[in-house]
Amino acid sequence: MLGKKLVTAQKRGETRALCLGLGMVVCSMMMYFFIGITIVPFYTRSVWTTETVCKVLKVSIKDQAPCPNSDGSEDEDVFPYPCLQVQVNLTASGQEVMLYATEDTLERNPKCSYVPEKSEKEVKAKIDKIASNFKNHQNVPCYYNPGGTQTNVIHSRLYPPKGLLFVFLWPTLMFTGGCLIIFLVKISQYVSVLSAWQ
């Protein structure tokens, strides 16, 4: 009687462990899919792939320029803010170009080097702080397009290679853990059947 209860409990535990392992594998596959359709396209579309050093030439702030989106759409996210413009010397080519915060900044507003979010508080103070940082540091790291299709540069990439690897780390760990659980359950079942047969 006790043996039957133990076998039943063991089978229930194995079933739950298998469900957990399969659930982890399915969830990791879904995470891979969502990363593949959301983050990876942004990474592959970015042409600013080579890192270099840019020398800051000119930092200016235009007073409360409306700075609409590049497509001219008038939505709720468009609001007036000081327009920061940073001109740098690209050491790789020696030409004077505009520096943007990220790839997204250029798409949102090609006139300004930094585009704040509407939810940010004290936007003017933050832009003044960013401008003073550029004035204090004459040489800043930047990314440029070696192919020459984009003449401007960006200060930091939204999805650098290290960041992309970090994004793929969690689903990979979940997939590995799920496969390991399934493997251990199958090994346990095989050993149980082998011992019962002997």
Side-chain angles (χ1 to χ4, degrees):
M1 189 73 177
L2 185 62
K4 286 184 179 181
K5 287 184 178 179
L6 286 172
V7 170
T8 305
Q10 184 180 5
K11 286 183 177 179
R12 284 179 184 171
E14 287 174 352
T15 304
R16 289 173 183 170
L18 274 176
C19 289
L20 175 64
L22 288 172
M24 289 172 70
V25 170
V26 170
C27 286
S28 64
M29 289 299 180
M30 290 174 62
M31 289 171 71
Y32 278 128
F33 174 74
F34 285 119
I35 291 170
I37 63 172
T38 55
I39 297 176
V40 173
F42 284 109
Y43 175 77
T44 54
R45 248 192 344 240
S46 179
V47 295
W48 296 273
T49 55
T50 307
E51 187 175 6
T52 186
V53 176
C54 292
K55 184 178 181 182
V56 179
L57 299 176
K58 184 182 177 184
V59 179
S60 59
I61 299 176
K62 292 185 178 179
D63 293 334
Q64 294 296 326
C67 292
N69 288 339
S70 57
D71 58 0
S73 62
E74 295 183 7
D75 53 16
E76 295 180 357
D77 293 332
V78 178
F79 65 101
Y81 53 86
C83 184
L84 173 67
Q85 293 181 339
V86 181
Q87 297 289 331
V88 296
N89 184 2
L90 181 60
T91 54
S93 63
Q95 63 185 111
E96 183 178 335
V97 293
M98 182 96 160
L99 175 71
Y100 295 94
T102 61
E103 302 96 327
D104 186 48
T105 307
L106 179 62
E107 290 181 8
R108 290 174 64 189
N109 188 354
K111 295 180 181 178
C112 303
S113 294
Y114 174 75
V115 178
E117 298 295 332
K118 192 173 182 181
S119 58
E120 289 183 19
K121 296 180 180 178
E122 300 179 357
V123 173
K124 189 178 185 311
K126 185 169 184 179
I127 291 176
D128 287 338
K129 185 178 179 182
I130 294 170
S132 65
N133 285 339
F134 277 117
K135 289 176 183 177
N136 293 335
H137 300 89
Q138 292 299 312
N139 294 322
V140 294
C142 59
Y143 292 88
Y144 74 99
N145 176 22
T149 55
Q150 284 286 347
T151 55
N152 40 52
V153 295
I154 60 171
H155 184 56
S156 59
R157 296 181 67 181
L158 281 174
Y159 301 104
K162 288 182 181 178
L164 200 65
L165 288 174
F166 183 75
V167 168
F168 277 106
L169 175 66
W170 297 112
T172 303
L173 288 175
M174 185 180 287
F175 179 79
T176 306
C179 289
L180 186 62
I181 289 172
I182 294 170
F183 176 74
L184 290 174
V185 169
K186 290 298 180 183
I187 289 291
S188 173
Q189 288 175 344
Y190 175 75
V191 170
S192 298
V193 170
L194 192 65
S195 62
W197 181 74
Q198 287 177 351

